[in-house]
Amino acid sequence: MKRARVTLADVAALAKVDRAVVSRVVNNDPALSIRPETRERVLAAVAQLGYRPNAAARSLRTARAHMFGLFLPDFANPVYAEIIKGAEAAAAGLGCVLVTGSSTGAGLGGYMDLLGQGRIDGLLLAGAEGESELLAQLDRMAVPWLMLNRRSPAVKRYVILDDERAARLAVEHLVGLGHRRIAHLAGPEGADTALRRSAGWRAAMRDAGLPEGPIVAAGYTPAGGAAAMAALLAAPEPPTAVFVANVASAIGAMESVREAGLDIPRDVSMVAVHDLDLASYLAPPLTTVRMPLAELGRRGVELLGSLKPDDSVAEVLDGPIELIARRSTAPPVSGGPGG
Amino acid sequence: MKRARVTLADVAALAKVDRAVVSRVVNNDPALSIRPETRERVLAAVAQLGYRPNAAARSLRTARAHMFGLFLPDFANPVYAEIIKGAEAAAAGLGCVLVTGSSTGAGLGGYMDLLGQGRIDGLLLAGAEGESELLAQLDRMAVPWLMLNRRSPAVKRYVILDDERAARLAVEHLVGLGHRRIAHLAGPEGADTALRRSAGWRAAMRDAGLPEGPIVAAGYTPAGGAAAMAALLAAPEPPTAVFVANVASAIGAMESVREAGLDIPRDVSMVAVHDLDLASYLAPPLTTVRMPLAELGRRGVELLGSLKPDDSVAEVLDGPIELIARRSTAPPVSGGPGG
DNA sequence: TCCTCATGATCAATCGGTTGAGCCTGCACA
DNA sequence: TGTGCAGGCTCAACCGATTGATCATGAGGA
């Protein structure tokens, strides 16, 4: 399928017009009017030759790459898949492509250098870690960027989900079922999302007039969840329900419950944040809080495309957050677990 | 962090040399020698101004984008996360960036058009579906491409994993444990990987002198796996072991086993292809076959970078394939399930 | 008949690097 | 003293599209 490179000049020659005309037709340039029959001739030539503009030349001239980037720490995490979906759709709506890359591994630093100047119109960063090095890199690039679902004193542009509201929803569900001893398996200490979810749990407990139950840092990993849950179950008066900061640690926590010879939800109810497909395949299917992740990606791209160079943004995404009740939550059996 | 655009000319002016010299220093051009002290001066100027070459200009002139693309159908599938990892590393080794995008959704077609000419040096396609439309698009692009782990009559360049060997390994493990009635939950009918895995199962059964057990198409989804497994268990003489084409359908299959009141591995042993993290968190942890997925991504980029325009490639990746034994497989209880 | 003006098309500079060709300079050799 | 040659730089064309400035044409008005 060898196909010679077709340029503007080829199209212009075939249509017997100047290259400028072709360019204006192709871009629907409103500044200059083109006679309809000329336009037809040009479009016919474009179609006949299969002309497609050279992106590099266009970018060079216009200083716009028509490309946004989204960097994330871990492609294996399905949370990001949702975000990517929304961001891609939004980019396509702006006539741009979204490219994703991982912000870890061989070093985001070198990777960003490769991106060079003029290759990307804006960068979305999701769940970034290794902040100082990362931010230094970003400053060296003349590229606008934005953090997704992460605040930080050093960051002036971010969009976050309402993790606090999500946490309240989870806790209110448990309270509604009759639970009073509701523990919390928190995310990594210091992680922004983790802090917000913990704050929501605390607020909801207070609002319900319940004593703040035990809170244990579990990280965002199965191993962390397993250890934290084991610790909770070993306490003299274990909780009848747990609000877990994410699904990964909930998986570990479920394992600990099983290993203790207890049953979910009979002995312990469990809710976690983010309604991943995975949640419905666990045993038992896990009750979760669904967050507007795709919306987060969409909004991120939208902002990147419209912000002025020095604008700052601090937005809490106002999307639907809902509790997806599955079989991991049920009213407490009086007497609690261990009985 | 406003920072004026720095160009070659700025660096040249500061270092008091021609732009050509700067270019040659920056690119380590071997064709022309530069005096060491001149080189020093240039590098100092580059550092002082924070110069970084404009990617668009360079691409325009050299007709190389230093960028490879990897398109995949589903970011939520952890199989691809591994492939991405390998591909990114290989690209970095070639001084290129890897960008990924999804091949489904709003339409790969429009998306590829956006990529335009000259933005990508080569494309890797993983698990592509919607073949005819896709291939038509690709033909319209003057971009070399390669399929990962998928053969097709219409495709002249691909690298595949040795799925057949993986399947044999799985079956041999079950045979080694003493199983004789080994069923197979196959992938989607017509899918290339599914066919190869089924072929491997068949060959291994034959080699072991066993009658070919029942085979049911289960797709690559939990729902498909659940349905297929339920069907198998309803048979008069159910299998004591199942080789499942992938982890997703194994998850569904496990659920069906549970719902039938049976136990894994006591009543049914189960092995699936691809050693995802997830596998070790299932209940019970799932025995899997680990395939060199990162290697596949790595090799794909490597080939893209080195192939001549009309070369074709049909390569079976020769990487390590190993069985990861977990708790979902055990010797059969004599008498089989249902007893 | 001449001038004005809108319309529709062309000209040519420009974006920022890359690279083959050509130009100095000084040294070696006859 | 003249020639040859190589090392080290500079010149300038070029990649392909965009876009402000300019030009040609014909219609409408005085």
Side-chain angles (χ1 to χ4, degrees):
Chain A
M1 216 41 52
K2 189 87 63 63
R3 176 187 296 278
R5 293 169 89 85
V6 178
T7 72
L8 256 197
D10 300 321
V11 177
L14 179 60
K16 301 202 195 313
V17 293
D18 191 81
R19 287 162 35 228
V21 174
V22 179
S23 171
R24 290 183 160 111
V25 168
V26 168
N27 297 315
N28 277 313
D29 185 340
L32 213 47
S33 54
I34 305 286
R35 221 186 325 156
E37 61 231 53
T38 308
R39 177 183 302 276
E40 287 305 319
R41 226 170 51 241
V42 170
L43 290 176
V46 164
Q48 181 180 335
L49 296 176
Y51 168 73
R52 306 176 62 234
N54 181 301
R58 173 178 287 182
S59 290
L60 174 57
R61 184 59 229 249
T62 61
R64 299 247 302 112
H66 295 276
M67 189 154 112
F68 292 108
L70 166 55
F71 283 79
L72 40 94
D74 178 15
F75 279 102
N77 185 338
V79 165
Y80 297 118
E82 276 292 298
I83 296 180
I84 292 174
K85 202 177 292 178
E88 273 190 347
L94 294 172
C96 295
V97 298
L98 179 86
V99 301
T100 66
S102 62
S103 55
T104 55
L108 182 58
Y111 200 68
M112 292 231 168
D113 272 338
L114 289 174
L115 271 181
Q117 303 229 331
R119 200 176 283 194
I120 287 267
D121 293 329
L123 233 40
L124 250 34
L125 298 160
E129 330 231 345
E131 169 171 322
S132 56
E133 190 201 350
L134 170 69
L135 296 182
Q137 285 291 339
L138 287 171
D139 279 349
R140 289 182 21 210
M141 305 193 51
V143 167
W145 55 275
L146 190 109
M147 280 226 177
L148 292 185
N149 212 23
R150 175 146 183 268
R151 295 173 308 181
S152 152
V155 169
K156 279 187 277 307
R157 293 176 162 196
Y158 58 83
V159 192
I160 58 176
L161 293 170
D162 197 343
D163 288 281
E164 190 164 332
R165 181 148 60 94
R168 299 178 86 110
L169 219 60
V171 174
E172 282 161 12
H173 170 68
L174 294 171
V175 170
L177 288 170
H179 291 277
R180 298 186 50 80
R181 288 202 307 283
I182 303 174
H184 176 36
L185 296 195
E189 309 196 43
D192 181 49
T193 49
L195 291 174
R196 285 184 272 133
R197 290 171 201 171
S198 298
W201 165 76
R202 214 166 268 128
M205 293 298 278
R206 192 179 50 237
D207 289 356
L210 295 176
E212 200 173 281
I215 169 171
V216 191
Y220 277 152
T221 64
M229 191 70 207
L232 281 183
L233 293 176
E237 201 175 33
T240 63
V242 213
F243 164 56
V244 188
N246 84 344
V247 173
S249 50
I251 290 176
M254 288 173 89
E255 201 172 321
S256 282
V257 173
R258 263 195 305 275
E259 280 178 2
L262 300 176
D263 182 76
I264 298 174
R266 197 197 57 207
D267 302 311
V268 188
S269 284
M270 199 175 281
V271 201
V273 175
H274 287 320
D275 186 49
L276 310 180
D277 279 352
L278 172 58
S280 58
Y281 304 133
L282 296 173
L286 184 65
T287 295
T288 59
V289 182
R290 181 200 298 278
M291 306 273 273
L293 290 166
E295 190 73 359
L296 181 66
R298 191 191 61 60
R299 183 67 183 144
V301 167
E302 201 174 281
L303 284 170
L304 271 189
S306 64
L307 286 175
K308 301 283 163 289
D310 287 318
D311 292 355
S312 51
V313 189
E315 187 170 307
V316 179
L317 195 75
D318 183 30
I321 296 182
E322 46 181 333
L323 188 115
I324 310 294
R326 297 205 181 81
R327 300 214 303 273
S328 69
T329 46
V333 174
S334 65
Chain B
M1 217 45 53
K2 190 83 65 62
R3 177 187 295 280
R5 293 168 88 86
V6 177
T7 72
L8 256 197
D10 300 322
V11 177
L14 180 60
K16 299 200 194 318
V17 292
D18 191 82
R19 282 157 45 226
V21 173
V22 179
S23 172
R24 289 180 161 113
V25 168
V26 168
N27 298 316
N28 276 314
D29 185 341
L32 214 48
S33 54
I34 304 287
R35 221 182 329 151
E37 61 231 55
T38 308
R39 175 182 305 275
E40 287 305 319
R41 223 167 55 240
V42 170
L43 291 177
V46 165
Q48 181 180 335
L49 296 176
Y51 168 73
R52 305 175 62 232
N54 180 301
R58 173 179 287 181
S59 290
L60 175 57
R61 183 60 228 248
T62 60
R64 300 245 303 111
H66 296 277
M67 188 153 112
F68 292 109
L70 167 56
F71 284 79
L72 39 97
D74 178 17
F75 278 102
N77 185 336
V79 165
Y80 297 117
E82 275 291 299
I83 296 180
I84 292 174
K85 203 177 292 179
E88 273 189 346
L94 294 171
C96 296
V97 298
L98 179 86
V99 301
T100 67
S102 62
S103 56
T104 56
L108 181 58
Y111 200 69
M112 291 229 171
D113 271 340
L114 289 174
L115 271 181
Q117 303 230 333
R119 201 176 281 195
I120 284 268
D121 293 328
L123 233 40
L124 251 33
L125 298 160
E129 330 230 346
E131 170 170 322
S132 55
E133 189 202 349
L134 170 69
L135 295 182
Q137 286 290 340
L138 288 171
D139 279 350
R140 289 181 21 211
M141 305 194 50
V143 167
W145 55 276
L146 191 111
M147 280 227 179
L148 292 185
N149 212 24
R150 176 146 183 267
R151 295 172 310 179
S152 152
V155 169
K156 279 187 278 308
R157 293 174 163 197
Y158 58 83
V159 192
I160 57 176
L161 292 170
D162 198 342
D163 287 282
E164 191 165 333
R165 181 147 60 92
R168 298 179 86 112
L169 218 59
V171 175
E172 283 162 12
H173 170 68
L174 295 171
V175 170
L177 288 171
H179 292 276
R180 296 185 52 81
R181 291 201 306 284
I182 303 173
H184 176 35
L185 296 194
E189 309 197 44
D192 181 49
T193 49
L195 291 173
R196 287 184 270 133
R197 288 170 201 172
S198 298
W201 165 75
R202 215 165 265 126
M205 293 299 278
R206 193 178 51 238
D207 289 357
L210 296 176
E212 200 174 279
I215 169 171
V216 190
Y220 277 153
T221 63
M229 191 71 208
L232 281 182
L233 292 176
E237 201 176 34
T240 63
V242 214
F243 164 56
V244 188
N246 84 345
V247 172
S249 51
I251 289 175
M254 289 173 88
E255 202 172 322
S256 282
V257 172
R258 263 196 304 274
E259 281 179 1
L262 300 176
D263 181 76
I264 297 173
R266 198 196 57 206
D267 303 310
V268 189
S269 282
M270 198 174 282
V271 201
V273 175
H274 286 321
D275 186 49
L276 310 180
D277 280 352
L278 173 58
S280 57
Y281 304 132
L282 297 173
L286 184 64
T287 295
T288 60
V289 182
R290 181 200 298 277
M291 307 272 274
L293 291 167
E295 191 71 2
L296 181 67
R298 191 191 60 64
R299 183 67 182 145
V301 168
E302 201 174 282
L303 284 169
L304 271 188
S306 64
L307 286 175
K308 301 283 164 290
D310 288 320
D311 293 353
S312 51
V313 190
E315 186 170 309
V316 180
L317 195 75
D318 183 32
I321 297 183
E322 46 180 332
L323 189 115
I324 310 293
R326 297 204 180 82
R327 299 213 304 271
S328 70
T329 46
V333 174
S334 62

